[in-house]
């Protein structure tokens, strides 16, 4: 009894070990549920060593254990599940170097307890084949594109069209993973999950399925899945940038740049925890960076992009043929490994006889030739892997050498072509700049127009100088008139004062008095005492006439008449200058038209000699 109690308590400790270790990582301080869920599932993946098992190795394990022939709704017990996990991890240890061996028993125990806690929470001791496939295919290592292709092959019919009921079943099983790590309220399954992912499409083929699940952003229920793969890709990425909050001089993982605050960057730890400083706020939009690019690389990238040497945007995944993809029948395969073709796709090569469903897609001779080339390349790769410790014969690797040589030749041809295109662009730009710059030959094409233009410019300059002189004279005259008005006002005040003090004084006495004129002084510092007639010499006929006739005439009106006369003279001069400017503009327009005609004649003459680009 004591031994049974100790065993049960030990089993309970093993079941809770993974979850206790996950809680010790303190992932709950992460502010966003998407990052929190992805970090927790990534921790489970690494702790169970599932990140070392590729999706193709997982598919091979399914085939070796006879799961490919079972119905999706068939149930297996926990003991068989443990056998399947044992084969997965023992095969993994055979592929790993001796210095990187894993603890198989510990990995099996942790993963088995996690699967049972996730898919058999009621303790029935059984789970469906489809649930186990969905969980292991999602949590294993490898590219997300390969995983989604395998999942689509499991939820599509014989015509390669997705069955909504099977996709609903896949969501029901895969969304149990966030629930197992206590993130069910954010990413739990609902009845509207399927229509949320595909709201309008009715017939879902492979390309549509990949477009939706690999979009940016992906469907809300599966947004943690691509993020978990991005986390795996940036774990060892180094950013030589200082964090604006914690002042760490380097960043590992993701880097976040604020789109509103200039130069404000946060490491992933500060961003996940919602830290902010200065004018930055958590409400600002942040851009996630998964790599570091130096300023020199940014400049070269921008130049290459502006010159059209690289595509502006790349598709998120390769576009597969329009023919519906058949479900992957792995019953007759003796060995299954990925082989990369020229389109960066992953193709499965079967060493057994082709199934009838695949024979219809290989009818054309070109497809048969491609199949033979892939088989030959695959055989060469197998030979290279089998003889890692010894030197392979040259005949075994001839296919790989030929393929690599062809790829290098193609890359060299494309680089030469790109270099020629850049040289042609540079030559055309130089020709355009030379054609747009004025040369002495163009200046001698029409000397008559140039002479007329030179004459008009000389006349314009002369009129501008004359107008400047007249404006200066007008300013001096206005100053003199203002001084005369002041003198006249002072004289009238003096006469009024004298008339009030001595009524018998003669009016001619005021006319003969001296009036100071500070404007036309003969020497600096002297105060002239001339009569008004002497002081106004050269000012104007109207002003002289006004002072020559004595006091009875209204001098203020005469001064205003003189000012109006000067203003009218200036107006007529401005009108004349404007007419000259209009003529000059018309002559310049004629000159430009003549240049355009000469340029068009020149280009029409060189049309056959200039290459079109």
């Amino acid at each position: 009894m004591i031994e049974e109690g100790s065993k049960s308590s030990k089993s309970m400790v093993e079941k809770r070990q993974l979850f206790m270790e996950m809680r010790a990582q303190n992932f709950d301080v992460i502010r966003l549920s998407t990052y929190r869920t992805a970090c927790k599932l990534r921790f489970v993946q690494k702790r169970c060593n599932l990140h070392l098992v590729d999706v193709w190795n997982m598919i091979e394990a399914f085939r070796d254990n006879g799961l490919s022939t079972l119905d999706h709704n068939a149930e297996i017990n926990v003991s068989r599940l443990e056998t399947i996990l044992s084969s997965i991890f023992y095969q993994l240890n055979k592929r790993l170097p001796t210095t990187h061996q894993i603890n198989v028993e510990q990995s099996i125990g942790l993963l088995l307890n996690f699967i049972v806690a996730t898919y058999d929470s009621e303790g029935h001791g059984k789970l469906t084949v489809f649930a186990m496939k969905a969980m292991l295919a999602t949590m294993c290592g490898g590219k997300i594109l390969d995983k989604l292709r395998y999942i689509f092959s499991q939820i599509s019919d014989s015509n390669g069209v997705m069955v909504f009921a099977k996709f609903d079943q896949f969501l029901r099983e895969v969304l149990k993973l966030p629930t197992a790590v206590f993130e069910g309220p954010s990413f739990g399954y609902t009845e509207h999950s399927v229509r949320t992912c595909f709201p309008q499409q009715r017939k879902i083929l492979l390309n549509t399925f990949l477009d939706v699940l690999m979009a940016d952003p992906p469907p809300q229920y599966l947004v943690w899945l691509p993020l978990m793969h991005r986390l795996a890709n940036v774990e060892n990425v180094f950013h030589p940038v200082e964090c604006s909050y914690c002042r760490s001089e380097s960043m590992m993982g993701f880097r976040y740049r604020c789109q509103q605050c200039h130069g404000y960057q946060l490491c992933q730890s500060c961003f996940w925890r919602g830290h902010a400083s200065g004018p930055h706020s958590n409400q600002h939009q942040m851009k996630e960076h998964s790599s570091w690019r130096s300023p020199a690389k940014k400049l070269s990238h921008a130049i290459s992009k502006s010159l059209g040497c690289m595509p502006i945007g790349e598709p998120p995944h390769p576009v597969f043929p329009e023919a519906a993809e058949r479900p992957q029948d792995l019953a007759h395969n003796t060995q299954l490994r990925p082989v990369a073709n020229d389109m960066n796709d992953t193709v499965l090569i079967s060493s057994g006889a082709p199934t009838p469903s695949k024979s219809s897609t290989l009818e054309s001779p070109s497809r048969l030739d491609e199949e033979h080339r892939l088989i030959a390349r695959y055989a060469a790769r197998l030979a290279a892997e089998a003889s890692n410790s010894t030197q392979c014969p040259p005949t075994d690797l001839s296919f790989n050498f030929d393929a690599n040589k062809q790829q290098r030749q193609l890359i060299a041809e494309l680089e030469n072509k790109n270099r020629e295109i850049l040289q042609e662009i540079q030559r055309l730009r130089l020709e355009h700049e030379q054609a747009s710059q004025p040369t002495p030959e163009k200046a001698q094409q029409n000397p008559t127009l140039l002479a007329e233009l030179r004459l008009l410019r000389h006349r314009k300059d002369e009129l501008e100088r004359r107008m400047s002189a007249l404006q200066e004279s007008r300013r001096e005259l206005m100053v003199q008139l203002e001084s005369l008005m002041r003198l006249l006002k002072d004289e009238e005040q003096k006469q009024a004062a004298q008339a009030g003090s001595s009524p018998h004084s003669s009016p001619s006495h005021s006319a003969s008095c001296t009036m100071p004129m500070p404007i036309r002084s003969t020497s600096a510092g002297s105060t002239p005492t001339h009569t008004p007639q002497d002081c106004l010499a050269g000012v104007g006929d109207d002003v002289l006439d006004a002072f020559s006739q004595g006091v009875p005439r209204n001098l203020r009106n005469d001064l205003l008449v003189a000012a109006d006369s000067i203003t009218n003279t200036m107006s007529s001069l401005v009108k004349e200058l404007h007419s000259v400017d209009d003529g000059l503009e018309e002559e310049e327009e004629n000159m430009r038209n003549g240049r355009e005609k000469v340029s068009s004649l020149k280009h029409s003459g060189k049309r056959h000699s200039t290459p079109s680009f």
Side-chain angles (χ1 to χ4, degrees), residues 347-405:
V347 181
L348 297 181
I349 304 301
S350 173
S351 59
T355 59
S357 62
K358 292 184 179 180
S359 61
S360 60
T361 61
L362 301 175
E363 294 177 356
S364 62
S366 60
R367 295 296 297 272
L368 289 175
D369 294 338
E370 183 179 0
E371 181 74 9
H372 290 317
R373 286 196 300 270
L374 292 174
I375 292 174
R377 193 182 304 170
Y378 179 68
R381 177 173 296 182
L382 289 180
E385 291 178 355
S387 59
N388 286 331
S389 59
T390 60
Q391 185 177 2
C392 298
T395 56
D396 294 335
L397 300 178
S398 59
F399 297 104
N400 281 338
F401 291 156
D402 293 340
N404 293 334
K405 184 177 180 181

Side-chain angles (χ1 to χ4, degrees), residues 395-570:
T395 56
D396 294 335
L397 300 178
S398 59
F399 297 104
N400 281 338
F401 291 156
D402 293 340
N404 293 334
K405 184 177 180 181
Q406 291 177 1
Q407 291 178 358
R408 287 195 296 270
Q409 290 178 354
L410 180 60
I411 292 173
E413 291 177 0
L414 291 176
E415 289 180 350
N416 292 332
K417 187 65 176 177
N418 186 26
R419 197 176 298 109
E420 292 177 359
I421 291 174
L422 293 177
Q423 292 177 357
E424 184 69 16
I425 291 174
Q426 187 68 19
R427 187 182 62 82
L428 292 175
R429 284 182 176 177
L430 292 176
E431 289 184 359
H432 178 71
E433 292 176 358
Q434 292 176 359
S436 61
Q437 292 178 355
T439 58
E441 297 178 357
K442 293 182 180 179
Q444 296 177 359
Q445 289 177 359
N446 198 339
T448 305
L449 292 176
L450 291 177
E452 293 180 358
L453 181 61
R454 211 175 288 113
L455 181 61
L456 288 173
R457 286 179 178 174
H458 179 70
R459 184 180 177 187
K460 180 182 178 181
D461 295 338
E462 183 180 355
L463 289 174
E464 287 179 352
R465 288 193 298 271
R466 181 182 174 189
M467 183 176 180
S468 299
L470 289 174
Q471 287 179 350
E472 184 66 22
S473 300
R474 184 191 178 203
R475 186 183 65 80
E476 293 179 358
L477 289 174
M478 295 301 293
V479 171
Q480 292 178 6
L481 289 174
E482 185 178 359
S483 301
L484 291 175
M485 292 291 290
R486 269 199 315 270
L487 293 175
L488 180 61
K489 185 176 180 180
D490 294 341
E491 186 66 24
E492 290 178 354
Q493 290 177 358
K494 289 180 181 180
Q495 289 179 2
Q498 291 177 1
S501 59
S502 59
H504 299 286
S505 62
S506 175
S508 61
H509 177 74
S510 62
S512 61
C513 67
T514 61
M515 296 192 316
M517 294 292 292
I519 296 177
R520 293 195 179 270
S521 59
T522 57
S523 62
S526 62
T527 303
T529 56
H530 303 287
T531 60
Q533 288 82 0
D534 297 333
C535 296
L536 295 176
V539 174
D541 296 337
D542 295 334
V543 178
L544 291 175
D545 188 22
F547 280 98
S548 64
Q549 294 180 6
V551 179
R553 186 171 177 177
N554 193 350
L555 295 179
R556 182 177 298 175
N557 292 334
D558 293 334
L559 292 174
L560 293 176
V561 170
D564 292 338
S565 176
I566 294 173
T567 303
N568 293 333
T569 304
M570 292 299 298

